[in-house]
Amino acid sequence: MFLQGTSRITPGGELSIGGVNTTELIERFGTPLIVYDEELIRSQMRAYMEPFKGRNMPHRIAYACKAFSAIAICQIAQQEGLWLDVVSAGELYTAQRAGFPADRIFMHGNNKTREELEMAVRAGVAMIVVDNFYEISLLSDVLNEYDATMDILLRIAPGVDAHTHEYITTGQQDSKFGFDLFSGQVDQAVDLIQREHALRLVGLHSHIGSQIFDVDGFRAAALRMADTTVHLKTKFGLALSVLNLGGGLGVRYTQADMMPPIAKAVAGILDVTEAAFAKAGVTMPTLMLEPGRSIVAAAGTTLYRVGSRKQIPEVRTYVAVDGGMTDNPRLALYGAKYEACIANRMLSVEQETVSIAGKCCESGDMLIWDAVLPVSQPGDILAVSCTGAYNYAMASNYNRIARPAVVFVHNGTARLVIRRETLNDLVALDIPFLQDA
Ligand code: LLP
């Protein structure tokens, strides 16, 4: 496992994060435990701002909290001056409970309910990214009811195929998201929006996918967005002042993943976008980006206790931990690859190849196939790195397994930000069928 952020090996051969030893963390908080390196989160957020320095380019960076939504992370995003991208009533509520200013929040979603739109309007969010025809009429209805107006961005499926896992590409033409660019839907949508006085169309939005390693897809999307901006100006006299190019920058889950540092990748996106707008002969709008994964993935490490072992002679050795697809479903869903270490035996020389299994009743409940690790014993700590994005966010209670606790570490101090679920939490929503049970 390669070390990122403040992760270090102590002289005693232990993994420490944020200046706190992992053995100390699990003694205090138990396992499985998701540990976030607060300094790394903040530096990733700052890295997004970095390339704008020295460029006269109005911009907004929003944290897409679908990657990891919690009150604490919303508060950090606020402190760092970011905006927030929310996609549901739950994410909006979390942001509100964090005290996040509504005028820096915008809402996404391909099927926002009336209740969610009402909540967003009541909260006074800055913008709504309108995804489809139904939403145009639903949102204007809600706004009329509240006698309010709303800045909106039009989500466009730009017909760009980002080279990533097919379940997480979103920009291609055949996608459930946004208005199709090639069949006149964008013009139709603009026409409808212009008749609704409550809707103020201020810009365009495109998101081409997730875990993207190069700027080619962003270049293609920026060119299409620039052309569309010109087209809408000519046809409808629209002066669009915002362009949101979505999120999607990839992260290094394993040493084999080649990803330039965020600041360099973002500088590349800025270059191609500026060039696209210069080519189209239009002023660069305020540029928005809404990263999720690249802000939080590398900052997260999951700590598990090693438990049982099954050795199948000449086939494979399984080592099981006390979590699995319930706290990290990404191998099961996407075939994602992770790296791990035995956090209390970092200097151990005796190694073996083992596959790391979870504890769910399902063969697909695996965390890593064929990991080369120090020989471990039950009770050792297995640390899986780069688990900060779409892990806790997608955690489940399958097999009625409680979701882990989450701590933020910084400068030798650990703070609990989400407590571990208890057995009582697991039955909290149940209503007994037999009243005397
Ligand atoms: N904006 C929009 C409209 C999105 O749909 C997404 C991610 C983002 C921004 C943030 O993208 P990011 O910077 O995190 O790549 N569960 C999958 C990833 C799903 C991505 C969903 N949308 C996974 O674990 O890989």
Side-chain angles (χ1 to χ4, degrees), residues 81-120:
L82 267 62
W83 282 46
L84 207 62
D85 155 2
V86 301
V87 296
S88 66
E91 286 187 359
L92 177 56
Y93 184 67
T94 307
Q96 288 178 309
R97 292 290 300 267
F100 201 97
D103 62 1
R104 281 203 269 143
I105 299 177
F106 56 91
M107 187 180 247
H108 261 295
N110 72 309
N111 189 23
K112 304 173 189 81
T113 63
R114 185 180 191 97
E115 291 71 27
E116 284 172 325
L117 291 173
E118 283 178 352
M119 186 177 171

Side-chain angles (χ1 to χ4, degrees), residues 12-324:
E14 242 195 74
L15 176 69
S16 78
I17 309 170
V20 190
N21 286 359
T22 41
T23 46
E24 201 179 312
L25 285 169
I26 69 156
E27 265 161 37
R28 205 171 139 198
F29 301 104
T31 52
L33 181 68
I34 304 181
V35 182
Y36 277 94
D37 177 345
E38 183 187 326
E39 201 173 299
L40 186 53
I41 297 176
R42 290 183 190 275
S43 65
Q44 307 291 54
M45 290 177 173
R46 288 171 196 168
Y48 266 92
M49 313 282 203
E50 189 64 36
F52 289 95
K53 289 184 184 147
R55 292 188 202 227
N56 186 16
M57 200 192 270
H59 61 278
R60 316 246 182 270
I61 304 298
Y63 168 56
C65 66
K66 70 200 78 183
F68 170 54
S69 168
I71 290 175
I73 188 82
C74 292
Q75 291 175 330
I76 287 184
Q78 182 188 351
Q79 280 184 334
E80 295 296 330
L82 267 62
W83 282 46
L84 207 62
D85 155 2
V86 301
V87 296
S88 66
E91 286 187 359
L92 177 56
Y93 184 67
T94 307
Q96 288 178 309
R97 292 290 300 267
F100 201 97
D103 62 1
R104 281 203 269 143
I105 299 177
F106 56 91
M107 187 180 247
H108 261 295
N110 72 309
N111 189 23
K112 304 173 189 81
T113 63
R114 185 180 191 97
E115 291 71 27
E116 284 172 325
L117 291 173
E118 283 178 352
M119 186 177 171
V121 169
R122 274 200 308 273
V125 300
M127 280 176 201
I128 290 183
V129 184
V130 172
D131 181 276
N132 53 72
F133 290 110
Y134 173 60
E135 191 182 343
I136 294 176
S137 58
L138 192 60
L139 177 58
S140 32
D141 240 38
V142 169
L143 288 165
N144 291 337
E145 188 186 306
Y146 283 85
D147 201 15
T149 60
M150 180 64 73
D151 285 355
I152 60 168
L153 301 183
L154 202 62
R155 176 149 185 185
I156 293 179
V160 171
D161 190 6
H163 301 285
T164 181
H165 193 287
E166 68 170 309
Y167 290 178
I168 49 179
T169 64
T170 40
Q172 75 279 18
Q173 188 186 14
D174 184 2
S175 155
K176 72 168 179 166
F177 300 105
F179 294 93
D180 176 36
L181 191 55
F182 305 104
S183 54
Q185 286 186 0
V186 173
D187 286 8
Q188 247 177 296
V190 171
D191 193 39
L192 284 172
I193 289 165
Q194 286 196 322
R195 291 164 208 228
E196 299 291 350
H197 74 277
L199 302 177
R200 288 192 307 250
L201 179 57
V202 297
L204 305 178
H205 176 283
S206 73
H207 171 78
I208 55 174
S210 202
Q211 187 61 358
I212 297 165
F213 288 108
D214 56 44
V215 297
D216 293 352
F218 289 98
R219 180 185 292 110
L223 284 165
R224 296 220 162 125
M225 293 301 102
D227 287 347
T228 308
T229 304
V230 174
H231 166 73
L232 295 178
K233 191 173 177 191
T234 318
K235 182 156 181 191
F236 297 93
L238 266 179
L240 298 176
S241 57
V242 179
L243 171 68
N244 185 330
L245 284 180
L249 284 188
V251 300
R252 292 188 71 195
Y253 284 101
T254 67
Q255 280 177 75
D257 293 331
M258 284 302 153
M259 183 64 205
I262 289 174
K264 199 168 164 211
V266 173
I269 295 175
L270 303 193
D271 289 343
V272 297
T273 310
E274 270 181 328
F277 278 76
K279 184 164 172 246
V282 262
T283 325
M284 208 21 231
T286 295
L287 183 66
M288 299 184 81
L289 296 174
E290 49 190 31
R293 188 192 312 269
S294 50
I295 300 284
V296 286
T301 302
T302 309
L303 305 179
Y304 303 94
R305 283 262 192 213
V306 170
S308 65
R309 168 182 289 255
K310 175 179 178 182
Q311 202 157 355
I312 312 166
E314 276 155 57
V315 178
R316 183 187 298 284
T317 299
Y318 287 92
V319 167
V321 295
D322 56 357

